[in-house]
Amino acid sequence: MNIGPAGVDDIAEIAALEAEAFPLDPWSPNLLREAVGGLVPTMALLVARSSADGGAADFLGYAVVSVVDVDAELQRIAVPEERRRSGVAGALLAATHAVAGERGATRLLLEVREDNIIARTFYERHGFAELGRRPRYYRDGTTALVLSTPVTMDP
Ligand SMILES: CC(C)(COP(=O)(O)OP(=O)(O)OC[C@H]1O[C@@H](n2cnc3c(N)ncnc32)[C@H](O)[C@@H]1OP(=O)(O)O)[C@@H](O)C(=O)NCCC(=O)NCCS
């Protein structure tokens, strides 16, 4: 697996996964284009692909992190359904920690829907603890949990 900065060629696959994984508030291809084009300097977009052996490398998922001062925020992380449960998100999270650490962040924060049990299990397994709650944070009225973990280059 290779993980690196996303480019314009990744936008179509990321946008398609956005629509599938976050149907209530997907990021548009335009917003993604701005992000990969460097127009949002605090933001880094990482894409995971299979290691290509001559052929085309399969899209395995992506993560978006923004870093402001000592706080990094994991804004997005998603893996296509047929690729889940094989460690891709874990690898993307490790790469996110590395970017956050390089940019001087000391903690990694995120918001997760209270009803997203799979993501909550994933974050718990990766050392995140609850920092607070934001009632009715999402458009459909669901509460957001704010989770945090120290940034480490070796998560
Ligand atoms: C959450 C998500 C990114 C995890 O991706 P993934 O590549 O499947 O995760 P990994 O394979 O690295 O999983 C690592 C661990 O997370 C937990 N986990 C992942 N999927 C799980 C599931 N379906 N049920 C229970 N635990 C699960 C397990 O602890 C798993 O370890 P294990 O496989 O050794 O038991 C993926 O399910 C996804 O894209 N969901 C939709 C988008 C989303 O909700 N993103 C988070 C928004 S806050």
Side-chain angles (χ1 to χ4, degrees), residues 21-22 77-79 84-90 111-112 116 118-119 121-123 125:
F22 307 106
I77 186 163
V79 172
R84 288 180 193 164
R85 221 65 204 262
S86 54
V88 176
E111 281 136 14
V112 60
N116 191 346
I118 290 175
T121 307
F122 170 75
Y123 294 133
R125 188 194 158 137

